[in-house]
Amino acid sequence: MQEILLIGFYQPDEALTRFLEAAQQEFNLPIRYLQEFVPLGTGGGLYHFRDQILAGGPEAFFVLNADVCSDFPLTAMLDSYRHQPHPFLLLGTTANRTQSLNYGCIVENPQTHEVLHYVEKPSTFVSDIINCGIYLFSPEALKPLRDVFQRNQQDGQLEDSSGLWPGAGTIRLEQDVFSALAGQGQIYVHLTDGIWSQIKSAGSALYASRLYLGQYQLTHPERLAKHTPGGPRIRGNVYIHPTAKVAPSAVKGLDSGFSKAPRAYGICSSPQLGPNVSIGEGVTVGEGVRLRESIVLHGATLQEHTCVLHTIVGWGSTVGRWARVEGTPNDPNPNDPRAHMDSESLFKDGKLLPAITILGCRVRIPAEVLILNSIVLPHKELSRSFTNQIIL
């Protein structure tokens, strides 16, 4: 690998700059952010920055959508490409018949794995093979993008007076390229049975965290916390950043008369963490905290005996003593191995649906309150309990 390019429309800021600098040091690779002048779709940025992508004469280049979670079998894809070079290689996985309608569907030749037909989010069932949003392109793949750009330019000359024409530079890989070239011997699919999920909502971010923690158990078990004498109680897969401060295990007597009581008569004040918990940089976890199926971002504080379930705690937020912060998960059907996360809506019939709880950055939750199925926007200081609300 020679270089990593991030392409997007977002204005770069200090946080992104810090991230790029840290990533370059960690991976010892040049990493650059290329900003689009307007949103150019899933393929427009590739064509617009084609000269920078092809600088150095790469054999091929990977294209990864930023909103997917995967074990990214890039080595296997590269081996498949080198065995049978073609302009486009797509990573595919399987979904059940109902959920396949929410994705790009691929009809393949089972012997050669050529993509014979491609439909983006069809209205009726087409195939149970879906597009993972992870690709390996040869330099030749940019030629069809050029053809789409030139065709868009011609269409622009016939633009109607509505002014809704998005511009020649806007290219949709799925509709403009994959659907058009399917069955012409240029697009192939590499199937995977590894982990994969879209990240379209906060709830899917929690599910993705669970998948990654499970993957760590297989590939990097040293990254996961272990239960040690005197430490917090660990249940299942838990990641704790080295700079996080987690209260040690302890047993307190019920009163002065029990100060020398055995463990059976004491109150265990050690935090209980897991399963599926990620604790970020500089987080503080107090005594007796119960933390499960949650992400705690850097600088947050969970004071003594808080209970946090199915929640994302934002940067620098504080949850007061004996408070309970809880959400409702929306996980895939565990009895269907091909089930994926649904892109759930926040509202139905004008009402907020139960979902995971999200605390924005620098939110303060007071002691002894309940926050249930709610979204709290940044920099809010609450004074009471809330249920099923968006707190602006």
mmCIF file of all heavy atoms in Angstrom, residues 83-111:
data_model
loop_
_atom_site.group_PDB
_atom_site.id
_atom_site.type_symbol
_atom_site.label_atom_id
_atom_site.label_comp_id
_atom_site.label_asym_id
_atom_site.label_seq_id
_atom_site.Cartn_x
_atom_site.Cartn_y
_atom_site.Cartn_z
ATOM 1 N N HIS A 83 -5.561 -12.912 -9.836
ATOM 2 C CA HIS A 83 -5.850 -14.164 -10.533
ATOM 3 C C HIS A 83 -6.666 -13.925 -11.786
ATOM 4 O O HIS A 83 -6.487 -14.615 -12.802
ATOM 5 C CB HIS A 83 -6.594 -15.112 -9.587
ATOM 6 C CG HIS A 83 -7.022 -16.396 -10.226
ATOM 7 N ND1 HIS A 83 -6.132 -17.403 -10.583
ATOM 8 C CD2 HIS A 83 -8.263 -16.849 -10.592
ATOM 9 C CE1 HIS A 83 -6.787 -18.401 -11.131
ATOM 10 N NE2 HIS A 83 -8.085 -18.092 -11.146
ATOM 11 N N GLN A 84 -7.541 -12.941 -11.744
ATOM 12 C CA GLN A 84 -8.431 -12.652 -12.878
ATOM 13 C C GLN A 84 -8.674 -11.148 -12.940
ATOM 14 O O GLN A 84 -9.684 -10.650 -12.475
ATOM 15 C CB GLN A 84 -9.751 -13.415 -12.706
ATOM 16 C CG GLN A 84 -10.619 -13.461 -13.960
ATOM 17 C CD GLN A 84 -11.866 -14.297 -13.754
ATOM 18 O OE1 GLN A 84 -12.388 -14.393 -12.651
ATOM 19 N NE2 GLN A 84 -12.353 -14.909 -14.818
ATOM 20 N N PRO A 85 -7.734 -10.384 -13.526
ATOM 21 C CA PRO A 85 -7.844 -8.920 -13.522
ATOM 22 C C PRO A 85 -9.038 -8.426 -14.346
ATOM 23 O O PRO A 85 -9.260 -8.873 -15.471
ATOM 24 C CB PRO A 85 -6.516 -8.464 -14.151
ATOM 25 C CG PRO A 85 -5.601 -9.640 -14.058
ATOM 26 C CD PRO A 85 -6.480 -10.842 -14.145
ATOM 27 N N HIS A 86 -9.794 -7.500 -13.742
ATOM 28 C CA HIS A 86 -10.906 -6.842 -14.418
ATOM 29 C C HIS A 86 -11.023 -5.434 -13.831
ATOM 30 O O HIS A 86 -10.540 -5.170 -12.721
ATOM 31 C CB HIS A 86 -12.210 -7.617 -14.228
ATOM 32 C CG HIS A 86 -12.223 -8.947 -14.911
ATOM 33 N ND1 HIS A 86 -12.382 -9.080 -16.266
ATOM 34 C CD2 HIS A 86 -12.062 -10.207 -14.428
ATOM 35 C CE1 HIS A 86 -12.342 -10.365 -16.596
ATOM 36 N NE2 HIS A 86 -12.147 -11.065 -15.497
ATOM 37 N N PRO A 87 -11.659 -4.518 -14.556
ATOM 38 C CA PRO A 87 -11.716 -3.129 -14.066
ATOM 39 C C PRO A 87 -12.370 -2.978 -12.701
ATOM 40 O O PRO A 87 -11.930 -2.171 -11.891
ATOM 41 C CB PRO A 87 -12.516 -2.411 -15.159
ATOM 42 C CG PRO A 87 -12.308 -3.224 -16.383
ATOM 43 C CD PRO A 87 -12.217 -4.642 -15.916
ATOM 44 N N PHE A 88 -13.431 -3.757 -12.431
ATOM 45 C CA PHE A 88 -14.197 -3.568 -11.200
ATOM 46 C C PHE A 88 -14.335 -4.894 -10.455
ATOM 47 O O PHE A 88 -14.797 -5.887 -11.024
ATOM 48 C CB PHE A 88 -15.607 -3.044 -11.504
ATOM 49 C CG PHE A 88 -15.643 -1.732 -12.239
ATOM 50 C CD1 PHE A 88 -15.677 -1.695 -13.627
ATOM 51 C CD2 PHE A 88 -15.646 -0.522 -11.545
ATOM 52 C CE1 PHE A 88 -15.715 -0.489 -14.311
ATOM 53 C CE2 PHE A 88 -15.688 0.681 -12.218
ATOM 54 C CZ PHE A 88 -15.712 0.701 -13.608
ATOM 55 N N LEU A 89 -13.947 -4.885 -9.179
ATOM 56 C CA LEU A 89 -14.190 -6.030 -8.309
ATOM 57 C C LEU A 89 -14.965 -5.531 -7.090
ATOM 58 O O LEU A 89 -14.491 -4.649 -6.358
ATOM 59 C CB LEU A 89 -12.881 -6.688 -7.869
ATOM 60 C CG LEU A 89 -13.028 -7.904 -6.941
ATOM 61 C CD1 LEU A 89 -13.761 -9.048 -7.654
ATOM 62 C CD2 LEU A 89 -11.667 -8.386 -6.449
ATOM 63 N N LEU A 90 -16.149 -6.082 -6.867
ATOM 64 C CA LEU A 90 -17.027 -5.679 -5.774
ATOM 65 C C LEU A 90 -16.986 -6.727 -4.673
ATOM 66 O O LEU A 90 -16.924 -7.927 -4.962
ATOM 67 C CB LEU A 90 -18.476 -5.526 -6.250
ATOM 68 C CG LEU A 90 -18.895 -4.296 -7.058
ATOM 69 C CD1 LEU A 90 -18.052 -4.097 -8.301
ATOM 70 C CD2 LEU A 90 -20.378 -4.394 -7.418
ATOM 71 N N LEU A 91 -17.015 -6.300 -3.423
ATOM 72 C CA LEU A 91 -17.180 -7.233 -2.315
ATOM 73 C C LEU A 91 -18.668 -7.424 -2.066
ATOM 74 O O LEU A 91 -19.417 -6.450 -1.954
ATOM 75 C CB LEU A 91 -16.506 -6.709 -1.047
ATOM 76 C CG LEU A 91 -16.536 -7.661 0.158
ATOM 77 C CD1 LEU A 91 -15.670 -8.881 -0.096
ATOM 78 C CD2 LEU A 91 -16.086 -6.952 1.431
ATOM 79 N N GLY A 92 -19.084 -8.674 -1.996
ATOM 80 C CA GLY A 92 -20.490 -8.983 -1.785
ATOM 81 C C GLY A 92 -20.691 -9.898 -0.598
ATOM 82 O O GLY A 92 -19.793 -10.656 -0.216
ATOM 83 N N THR A 93 -21.878 -9.826 -0.007
ATOM 84 C CA THR A 93 -22.268 -10.753 1.053
ATOM 85 C C THR A 93 -23.740 -11.094 0.833
ATOM 86 O O THR A 93 -24.361 -10.607 -0.122
ATOM 87 C CB THR A 93 -22.035 -10.139 2.445
ATOM 88 O OG1 THR A 93 -22.224 -11.141 3.442
ATOM 89 C CG2 THR A 93 -22.964 -8.962 2.720
ATOM 90 N N THR A 94 -24.302 -11.906 1.697
ATOM 91 C CA THR A 94 -25.686 -12.324 1.499
ATOM 92 C C THR A 94 -26.599 -11.663 2.527
ATOM 93 O O THR A 94 -26.181 -11.321 3.630
ATOM 94 C CB THR A 94 -25.828 -13.854 1.606
ATOM 95 O OG1 THR A 94 -25.293 -14.292 2.855
ATOM 96 C CG2 THR A 94 -25.085 -14.534 0.468
ATOM 97 N N ALA A 95 -27.860 -11.500 2.144
ATOM 98 C CA ALA A 95 -28.893 -10.948 3.018
ATOM 99 C C ALA A 95 -30.166 -11.752 2.803
ATOM 100 O O ALA A 95 -30.312 -12.465 1.794
ATOM 101 C CB ALA A 95 -29.138 -9.474 2.708
ATOM 102 N N ASN A 96 -31.098 -11.656 3.744
ATOM 103 C CA ASN A 96 -32.365 -12.348 3.528
ATOM 104 C C ASN A 96 -33.184 -11.615 2.469
ATOM 105 O O ASN A 96 -32.877 -10.483 2.089
ATOM 106 C CB ASN A 96 -33.146 -12.511 4.841
ATOM 107 C CG ASN A 96 -33.477 -11.190 5.506
ATOM 108 O OD1 ASN A 96 -33.894 -10.231 4.850
ATOM 109 N ND2 ASN A 96 -33.322 -11.126 6.832
ATOM 110 N N ARG A 97 -34.231 -12.255 1.993
ATOM 111 C CA ARG A 97 -34.987 -11.721 0.849
ATOM 112 C C ARG A 97 -35.576 -10.351 1.145
ATOM 113 O O ARG A 97 -35.566 -9.456 0.289
ATOM 114 C CB ARG A 97 -36.112 -12.693 0.468
ATOM 115 C CG ARG A 97 -35.632 -14.005 -0.121
ATOM 116 C CD ARG A 97 -36.818 -14.906 -0.428
ATOM 117 N NE ARG A 97 -37.677 -14.329 -1.444
ATOM 118 C CZ ARG A 97 -37.614 -14.636 -2.740
ATOM 119 N NH1 ARG A 97 -36.705 -15.494 -3.168
ATOM 120 N NH2 ARG A 97 -38.447 -14.088 -3.595
ATOM 121 N N THR A 98 -36.073 -10.163 2.344
ATOM 122 C CA THR A 98 -36.716 -8.892 2.668
ATOM 123 C C THR A 98 -35.710 -7.763 2.746
ATOM 124 O O THR A 98 -35.887 -6.689 2.149
ATOM 125 C CB THR A 98 -37.482 -9.015 3.999
ATOM 126 O OG1 THR A 98 -38.467 -10.043 3.883
ATOM 127 C CG2 THR A 98 -38.157 -7.693 4.344
ATOM 128 N N GLN A 99 -34.627 -7.977 3.470
ATOM 129 C CA GLN A 99 -33.646 -6.910 3.669
ATOM 130 C C GLN A 99 -32.808 -6.640 2.430
ATOM 131 O O GLN A 99 -32.237 -5.554 2.305
ATOM 132 C CB GLN A 99 -32.736 -7.252 4.848
ATOM 133 C CG GLN A 99 -33.441 -7.189 6.191
ATOM 134 C CD GLN A 99 -32.489 -7.378 7.344
ATOM 135 O OE1 GLN A 99 -31.591 -8.209 7.288
ATOM 136 N NE2 GLN A 99 -32.675 -6.615 8.408
ATOM 137 N N SER A 100 -32.729 -7.591 1.513
ATOM 138 C CA SER A 100 -31.937 -7.361 0.301
ATOM 139 C C SER A 100 -32.468 -6.174 -0.498
ATOM 140 O O SER A 100 -31.712 -5.530 -1.243
ATOM 141 C CB SER A 100 -31.935 -8.619 -0.572
ATOM 142 O OG SER A 100 -33.229 -8.873 -1.110
ATOM 143 N N LEU A 101 -33.747 -5.842 -0.336
ATOM 144 C CA LEU A 101 -34.338 -4.725 -1.078
ATOM 145 C C LEU A 101 -33.769 -3.379 -0.638
ATOM 146 O O LEU A 101 -33.964 -2.376 -1.325
ATOM 147 C CB LEU A 101 -35.859 -4.719 -0.903
ATOM 148 C CG LEU A 101 -36.602 -6.020 -1.252
ATOM 149 C CD1 LEU A 101 -38.103 -5.832 -1.065
ATOM 150 C CD2 LEU A 101 -36.291 -6.464 -2.670
ATOM 151 N N ASN A 102 -33.084 -3.355 0.506
ATOM 152 C CA ASN A 102 -32.515 -2.103 1.014
ATOM 153 C C ASN A 102 -31.091 -1.861 0.535
ATOM 154 O O ASN A 102 -30.469 -0.865 0.933
ATOM 155 C CB ASN A 102 -32.523 -2.118 2.546
ATOM 156 C CG ASN A 102 -33.914 -2.256 3.125
ATOM 157 O OD1 ASN A 102 -34.864 -1.689 2.600
ATOM 158 N ND2 ASN A 102 -34.046 -3.014 4.199
ATOM 159 N N TYR A 103 -30.578 -2.748 -0.319
ATOM 160 C CA TYR A 103 -29.184 -2.654 -0.737
ATOM 161 C C TYR A 103 -29.088 -2.789 -2.255
ATOM 162 O O TYR A 103 -30.070 -3.078 -2.941
ATOM 163 C CB TYR A 103 -28.357 -3.766 -0.073
ATOM 164 C CG TYR A 103 -28.394 -3.759 1.432
ATOM 165 C CD1 TYR A 103 -29.327 -4.531 2.134
ATOM 166 C CD2 TYR A 103 -27.515 -2.976 2.166
ATOM 167 C CE1 TYR A 103 -29.366 -4.529 3.517
ATOM 168 C CE2 TYR A 103 -27.537 -2.970 3.556
ATOM 169 C CZ TYR A 103 -28.464 -3.750 4.219
ATOM 170 O OH TYR A 103 -28.495 -3.739 5.585
ATOM 171 N N GLY A 104 -27.864 -2.579 -2.758
ATOM 172 C CA GLY A 104 -27.610 -2.895 -4.152
ATOM 173 C C GLY A 104 -27.528 -4.400 -4.328
ATOM 174 O O GLY A 104 -26.779 -5.073 -3.608
ATOM 175 N N CYS A 105 -28.322 -4.958 -5.249
ATOM 176 C CA CYS A 105 -28.421 -6.416 -5.417
ATOM 177 C C CYS A 105 -27.641 -6.873 -6.641
ATOM 178 O O CYS A 105 -27.689 -6.240 -7.701
ATOM 179 C CB CYS A 105 -29.880 -6.837 -5.536
ATOM 180 S SG CYS A 105 -30.810 -6.586 -4.001
ATOM 181 N N ILE A 106 -26.925 -7.985 -6.472
ATOM 182 C CA ILE A 106 -26.007 -8.489 -7.487
ATOM 183 C C ILE A 106 -26.464 -9.868 -7.945
ATOM 184 O O ILE A 106 -26.679 -10.768 -7.116
ATOM 185 C CB ILE A 106 -24.577 -8.581 -6.921
ATOM 186 C CG1 ILE A 106 -24.066 -7.201 -6.496
ATOM 187 C CG2 ILE A 106 -23.634 -9.229 -7.917
ATOM 188 C CD1 ILE A 106 -22.781 -7.242 -5.688
ATOM 189 N N VAL A 107 -26.606 -10.031 -9.256
ATOM 190 C CA VAL A 107 -26.816 -11.349 -9.847
ATOM 191 C C VAL A 107 -25.497 -11.765 -10.478
ATOM 192 O O VAL A 107 -24.983 -11.070 -11.359
ATOM 193 C CB VAL A 107 -27.937 -11.329 -10.897
ATOM 194 C CG1 VAL A 107 -28.089 -12.708 -11.527
ATOM 195 C CG2 VAL A 107 -29.250 -10.870 -10.275
ATOM 196 N N GLU A 108 -24.925 -12.878 -10.025
ATOM 197 C CA GLU A 108 -23.611 -13.296 -10.488
ATOM 198 C C GLU A 108 -23.681 -14.595 -11.277
ATOM 199 O O GLU A 108 -24.626 -15.371 -11.152
ATOM 200 C CB GLU A 108 -22.654 -13.496 -9.309
ATOM 201 C CG GLU A 108 -23.045 -14.654 -8.409
ATOM 202 C CD GLU A 108 -21.870 -15.255 -7.644
ATOM 203 O OE1 GLU A 108 -20.707 -14.878 -7.898
ATOM 204 O OE2 GLU A 108 -22.126 -16.125 -6.781
ATOM 205 N N ASN A 109 -22.671 -14.827 -12.094
ATOM 206 C CA ASN A 109 -22.431 -16.142 -12.680
ATOM 207 C C ASN A 109 -21.715 -16.972 -11.618
ATOM 208 O O ASN A 109 -20.591 -16.645 -11.229
ATOM 209 C CB ASN A 109 -21.558 -16.012 -13.923
ATOM 210 C CG ASN A 109 -21.294 -17.347 -14.606
ATOM 211 O OD1 ASN A 109 -21.090 -18.360 -13.951
ATOM 212 N ND2 ASN A 109 -21.280 -17.338 -15.929
ATOM 213 N N PRO A 110 -22.341 -18.033 -11.100
ATOM 214 C CA PRO A 110 -21.735 -18.753 -9.972
ATOM 215 C C PRO A 110 -20.408 -19.420 -10.310
ATOM 216 O O PRO A 110 -19.630 -19.723 -9.403
ATOM 217 C CB PRO A 110 -22.804 -19.795 -9.597
ATOM 218 C CG PRO A 110 -23.684 -19.905 -10.790
ATOM 219 C CD PRO A 110 -23.647 -18.585 -11.486
ATOM 220 N N GLN A 111 -20.134 -19.653 -11.601
ATOM 221 C CA GLN A 111 -18.859 -20.272 -11.970
ATOM 222 C C GLN A 111 -17.742 -19.237 -12.093
ATOM 223 O O GLN A 111 -16.646 -19.423 -11.562
ATOM 224 C CB GLN A 111 -18.989 -21.034 -13.295
ATOM 225 C CG GLN A 111 -19.656 -22.387 -13.185
ATOM 226 C CD GLN A 111 -21.157 -22.286 -12.958
ATOM 227 O OE1 GLN A 111 -21.838 -21.467 -13.591
ATOM 228 N NE2 GLN A 111 -21.673 -23.108 -12.054
#
